[in-house]
Structures are given as structure tokens and as C-alpha cells.
Amino acid sequence: MTTPTVLILLGPPGAGKGTQARILEEDFGLVQLSTGDLLRSAVASGSAAGQQARAVMEAGGLVSDEIVLAILKDRMNQPDVAKGIILDGFPRTDRQAADLDALLATSGQRVNAAISLEVDDEAMVGRVAGRYTCGGCGEGYHDTFKQPATAGVCDKCGGTAFKRRADDNAETVRERLKAYHAQTAPLITYYEGKGVLQRIDAMGDIAAIRQTLGGIVAGVSAH
Ligand code: AMP
């Protein structure tokens, strides 16, 4: 049996991690694990972890490592992750990166590639503040850059209910960018030291980035 592929997408809010992770799911049969999505589900369910996470998320800070790691470990125990995973929004701190390495090592796995999506911060505020998703299938849209072909109808599933994240406003995005630079950007050096870092210019269009990323993933999945 081949070892499951483990990919990490690094980059500030708005860099396109979620969009590209969804594409990689389709193109390579990998599973997207977004700690942001898992935390939003915990908040919506009203669980103890969700209640603790809620205010921190609304302020644009980072939820505690303990809560995030517990949620992620639960998710990684589900059988659908066997083919491989794309971590979107995790790890975000040194401790999370070290714990991930330890967790993977217990099953003979390792991070195959950490891909840094490189973008301009200022452009991210506009990208994030206008975005919304289909409530049915999760397809992403944007007020300026990507409207559905028929107004109010999802291109992908035909759904008509859309949602916006509570933390996708300009003020909170600036806080999230600060948290990214203070706590998460140093992980770029960490993965560089391990020889698994790949940097890609993520200011271009979605299709061009898909192609570049696809090449990287095809290269690391084969090993
Ligand atoms: P995201 O969907 O990745 O933009 O995450 C939304 C929010 O969830 C972040 O601003 C954090 O408050 C929280 N969050 C998501 N992933 C993590 C993580 N790995 N560590 C700490 N907080 C996280």
C-alpha cells in the first residue's frame, strides 16, 4: 500500500488556500482538511470547544493549540483520509507543526510538500471582504471577481442560498493578517529547513495556479 500524501497549503487569508484545496480534492482524490471549517462547525454546534473558539475567531486571533489539535486529530481518525490530505489553515503555529510531525510519524507518514501561496497583503483585504460561498456545495464566489453566471444561482449545484463568514470584514482581515505574519509565516522557514517547501506566486488567476499546484502535487504523490 502506498503512504498517503500529506500536503500543507500555507498563505495569508485570501491567498486561495480553500479554493485550491477544493480543486486538488477533485483533481487528485485527496481530502481537504480545513481547521477553519472544523472550528466553524464546532461553533455552529454549540460544543464546549466551539463556545471557547467563537470570540477569538470573531476578533481574528488564533484559537488555542489544544482545541485545534483535538479537533484535527478527531478528523484525521476518519477513514476517508486514507488516500491523502490537504491541510488548509493548519498548522498555524510552531507547536501545531511539531505536533503534526509527531502525529504523522506514529503511522509512518510525513509532510510531502508545504506549498506557500505568495500574495500581496493589501490585495487580500479586498479579496476576503467580498467573498461568499454557496450554502449547499461550498463553491466560492466574490462580489467583484467571481459572480455566478446566473445571479443568485450557484453554477455548480444550482443552490440559491449563499453565506458570508462573520470574520470576512476588512477590520478582522487585518487582524488575521497580523496573526499570520506573527505566528504562521515563520513556518515557511521551518518547512524550508525540512526540504519540503515550494513557493508559488498566487496573485494570478485560479486556473494558472491550479496548473502549477497540480504539477507539484503530481510530483510528490508519485513517491
Ligand atoms: P480560516 O478558515 O483558515 O481562515 O480560519 C478562520 C479562523 O479560525 C482563524 O482566523 C482562526 O481564528 C481560527 N483557526 C483556523 N485554523 C486555526 C489554526 N490552525 N490554529 C488556530 N486558529 C485557527
Side-chain angles (χ1 to χ4, degrees):
M1 204 182 107
T2 50
T3 317
T5 306
V6 179
L7 303 176
I8 294 173
L9 295 183
L10 289 168
K17 301 184 296 295
T19 302
Q20 294 297 338
R22 285 167 58 82
I23 291 174
L24 290 173
E25 280 196 313
E26 279 180 20
D27 291 354
F28 291 90
L30 303 170
V31 172
Q32 172 193 18
L33 294 193
S34 153
T35 42
D37 284 349
L38 295 172
L39 287 165
R40 281 184 286 279
S41 297
V43 170
S45 77
S47 68
Q51 285 176 27
Q52 284 185 55
R54 178 180 212 128
V56 180
M57 292 172 76
E58 280 175 5
L62 291 189
V63 174
S64 76
D65 289 332
E66 287 70 22
I67 290 180
V68 175
L69 286 160
I71 282 182
L72 183 84
K73 279 182 190 166
D74 259 15
R75 182 64 186 86
M76 284 181 66
N77 281 329
Q78 307 291 315
D80 64 334
V81 304
K83 177 143 189 212
I85 54 175
I86 311 145
L87 291 164
D88 158 12
F90 181 93
R92 264 178 157 97
T93 64
D94 291 348
R95 155 103 193 268
Q96 291 178 14
D99 280 24
L100 174 66
D101 285 344
L103 181 68
L104 292 173
T106 59
S107 51
Q109 290 174 261
R110 64 183 180 87
V111 172
N112 298 95
I115 303 160
S116 170
L117 304 184
E118 315 240 312
V119 289
D120 295 340
D121 267 24
E122 262 320 297
M124 294 308 102
V125 179
R127 268 201 200 177
V128 174
R131 71 187 181 181
Y132 59 96
T133 53
C134 170
C137 71
E139 183 70 0
Y141 294 98
H142 192 281
D143 292 330
T144 311
F145 308 122
K146 188 190 165 199
Q147 290 280 18
T150 305
V153 182
C154 176
D155 295 341
K156 201 155 191 185
C157 75
T160 53
F162 294 87
K163 53 186 187 185
R164 284 176 198 265
R165 282 169 44 176
D167 59 350
D168 278 352
N169 58 76
E171 192 189 339
T172 310
V173 177
R174 290 191 200 282
E175 289 308 312
R176 287 159 61 199
L177 284 167
K178 276 190 211 157
Y180 176 77
H181 288 292
Q183 295 179 79
T184 308
L187 297 182
I188 293 174
T189 313
Y190 177 82
Y191 289 113
E192 198 162 32
K194 289 183 169 286
V196 294
L197 183 76
Q198 307 262 4
R199 294 175 192 268
I200 66 174
D201 175 358
M203 287 304 291
D205 66 51
I206 293 174
I209 298 164
R210 173 189 200 152
Q211 216 178 3
T212 310
L213 256 179
I216 293 172
V217 176
V220 297
S221 320
H223 302 128

